[in-house]
Amino acid sequence: MATPNHSYALAAPTLKNLEKEYPLNVPEQKAIIDRILETYCDVPGGLMVILNEIQSRVGFISQPVQEYVARVLNVPVSAIHGVVTFYSFFTTEPRGDHTLKFCMGTACYVGGTPQLIQKAEQILGTKTGRTTPDGKITLEVCRCVGACSQAPVVVVDEQLYGRLRPSKLPALIREITKASSNSSGE
Amino acid sequence: MPFINSLTELVHLQEEILQRKREEITSQPFRDGGPEKFAPLALRADQELDAPRGKEIRVVLRNCTLIDPESLDDYIAEDGYQALATVLTKMTPEEVIDTISRSGLRGRGGAGFPTGRKWQLTRNSAGSPKYIICNADEGDPGAFMNRRVLEGDPHSVLEGMAIAAYAIGASQGYIYCRAEYPIAVRTLNIAIQQARAYGLLGKNVLASGFSFDVELRMGAGAFVCGEETALIASIEGRRGEPRPRPPFPAVSGLWGNPTCINNVETFANVPQIILTGPDWFAAMGTEKSKGTKTFALAGDVNHTGLIEVPLGITLREIVYDVGEGIKKNKALKAIQTGGPMGGCLPASMIDLPVDYESLTAAGSIMGSGGMIVMDEETCMVDIARFFMEFIQEESCGKCTPCRVGTHSMLEILTRICNGEGVDGDIEELERLCKVTKTHSLCGLGQGAPNPVESTIKHFRHEYEAHIYRKECPAKVCRALIRYEIVPETCTGCTVCAKNCPIGAINGERRNPHLIDQEICIRCGICIQTCNFGAILALTGEQN
């Protein structure tokens, strides 16, 4: 009843395709991925660990990377793709330099996250789930970050900003973009 | 680095640590800001965790804010790992299980299964090796009790796991922590390394012949992974989809072997029960629900944050004594317990005792311990919609009742909130609730209808107001309200006009402003930014 073999065969990776794709053709990035695979390939149930590591070190898990991981671990690409698409932390596309995550926990929702999102979308001219055209800021909503006593909360990269009002957002975003242009100037 | 070989050595080390701390205090009393630095550490309390108030009793949170979570010495100074040492040297596994059973401890993840019985079942199951899993995938929005324990007192969880491992005969444990908690992950990793270095984890713990090690695994943002069979699938490196039970994990869990899964808070209780005795623990709480429970009190109370109260306490005592009443003296409308699969209890049930049975009977659940207090400005239909949106997104899609049921319910709720509700919607919601509840595979689907069912039961008039009169009594649902500026009160300060995201507010400085209803998207930013209360929200007849 399932359609196992031919979809597997279609998705089987070929080296020729792999070489064209970022980040596997950036030597440093590929070295990172290889090291991760080497470290965790023998850990029981290590796929989650491997994908978590790639996501946090490389930033995203694109289709070619999934194919590469499948080849090294000797499992069907469909299995990897299934896991990557199941969990919301794994992304298949690169993100902006900074990520603005709006907490959608109950306390934050009641405390005004919808208004914050509206304001941020207006300032940045983008939508949630998207990245600004200059690739600097990605807007996202996320699950409760557990900082409910400071609702509403916005998480910028790993830094948490609590009790945020829409009127404070422009300053915050200015600060982020400034930090971003400073660091890229280095 | 001291390597501890016995209970005696552990007690000896504790003495040394305490002596060292005393010397530190007496030798430099007036440096670094003087004696305050060494004042009771409750001074370090923060926005989340304050000094206990009302009827609070701290068992699980006893060390949080008082010790340095990255210092094993601090934990040992507070009798840390003595329970484990006692268990390993003086008790048989059966005695440990008996002690936990007699204490009446029940699973703190929400379902309230007796912990002693779970351990016994896993111990009795054939199959080897056996595994211990700590469920630290605390995903309920509005709940952060487990995060605080992991960040503030990680060793208490490790010690509880080691005791459980000894009781059921496991030698490997896993902690499954959600990826949204990077600090908890870091703190736990430090704690695991320290415990290994001291000989409290690893091979031949405390030279007793018992071996136990712990590995930390991270989730990746899937709410359903808090369900035990989904969690096991995730640790195995697969999609986190639940499977039917039985077989329960106690019989066939991780890699098909007997597995005992307990919540963070359950494990954190264990060392205290061993040290202080089951009778002390059983003396707290009600007949069927013993001990204390942590709650994350959030929403419209004056004092939000973490609390730990004996079970059986009433909601009134939590809201008005511990939480110090409703913000701005507004009226209490509802209390939401148990996270997205819990229910909304109306203000009239304020004297309900908080224990597993009473909450279930009232149409809510204990859940992991989120408690959100809502005042009169909360729209219950909107809240039901909010939770349904959450559940619908997090439904893994494996079973049809949950996948389609939550989707259909969300559709109807969204329609009602948009002012497009029709006659019969409430009845259809009730029918969908029943089907989803009885036919879903796991706790997520079975609990999904709770927010809708409880709000229909207790706040039916709000649904009716939305559907038949097209008004939102709490003035929340955008399609049913509009904002207006009172010309007499408006000072023309231009703050609202500056903050309006779509430029719908016009007016000269120092002259009353006007909202262009054609453009206004009813985001409510203006009403939040106005310093003079000059903007009103109107609904229904007034609209």
Side-chain angles (χ1 to χ4, degrees), chain A residues 43-45 47-48 52 82 86-90 104 106 109 115 118-119 122 143-144 146 148-150 165, chain B residues 47 142 144 147 178 217-221 234-235 238-240 385-386 390 393-394 478 501 521 523 528:
Chain A
V43 174
L47 180 59
M48 282 288 290
N52 255 321
F86 184 84
Y87 297 94
S88 64
F89 257 54
F90 300 143
M104 263 297 192
T106 319
Y109 178 77
Q115 285 90 333
Q118 192 133 34
K119 185 85 185 173
Q122 177 217 351
R143 292 288 173 239
C144 181
C148 314
S149 51
Q150 301 174 52
R165 299 278 105 204
Chain B
Q47 288 179 334
F144 53 99
R147 173 177 66 80
R178 68 198 287 245
R217 287 293 176 88
M218 257 167 76
S234 186
I235 293 186
R238 294 185 284 122
R239 289 163 69 91
R385 193 200 55 78
F386 168 76
F390 177 89
E393 263 175 40
E394 292 298 339
R478 286 183 188 189
I521 50 169
C523 65
Q528 279 185 18

Side-chain angles (χ1 to χ4, degrees), chain B residues 6 66 82 128-129 140 157 187 215 217 225 281 323 344 380 410 457-458 507 515:
Chain B
S6 65
L66 294 179
Q82 283 189 20
S128 164
D140 287 0
V157 180
T187 318
E215 195 184 314
R217 287 293 176 88
C225 285
F281 191 80
C344 293
M380 301 316 287
L410 178 62
K457 185 173 166 199
H458 301 298
I515 301 177

Side-chain angles (χ1 to χ4, degrees), chain A residues 76 97 158:
Chain A
D97 298 342
E158 301 233 312

Side-chain angles (χ1 to χ4, degrees), chain A residues 49-129:
Chain A
V49 187
I50 289 169
L51 295 179
N52 255 321
E53 285 285 307
I54 295 179
Q55 176 70 46
S56 70
R57 307 273 290 280
V58 180
F60 62 109
I61 312 172
S62 62
Q63 183 71 26
V65 173
Q66 293 171 30
E67 288 168 10
Y68 185 71
V69 172
R71 201 166 53 109
V72 174
L73 297 182
N74 199 20
V75 292
V77 186
S78 60
I80 311 277
H81 186 70
V83 173
V84 169
T85 48
F86 184 84
Y87 297 94
S88 64
F89 257 54
F90 300 143
T91 52
T92 51
E93 284 170 18
R95 291 184 189 182
D97 298 342
H98 302 276
T99 315
L100 233 70
K101 285 191 210 147
F102 293 89
C103 178
M104 263 297 192
T106 319
C108 291
Y109 178 77
V110 176
T113 300
Q115 285 90 333
L116 286 176
I117 293 177
Q118 192 133 34
K119 185 85 185 173
E121 286 180 343
Q122 177 217 351
I123 298 172
L124 293 171
T126 185
K127 290 272 162 206
T128 40

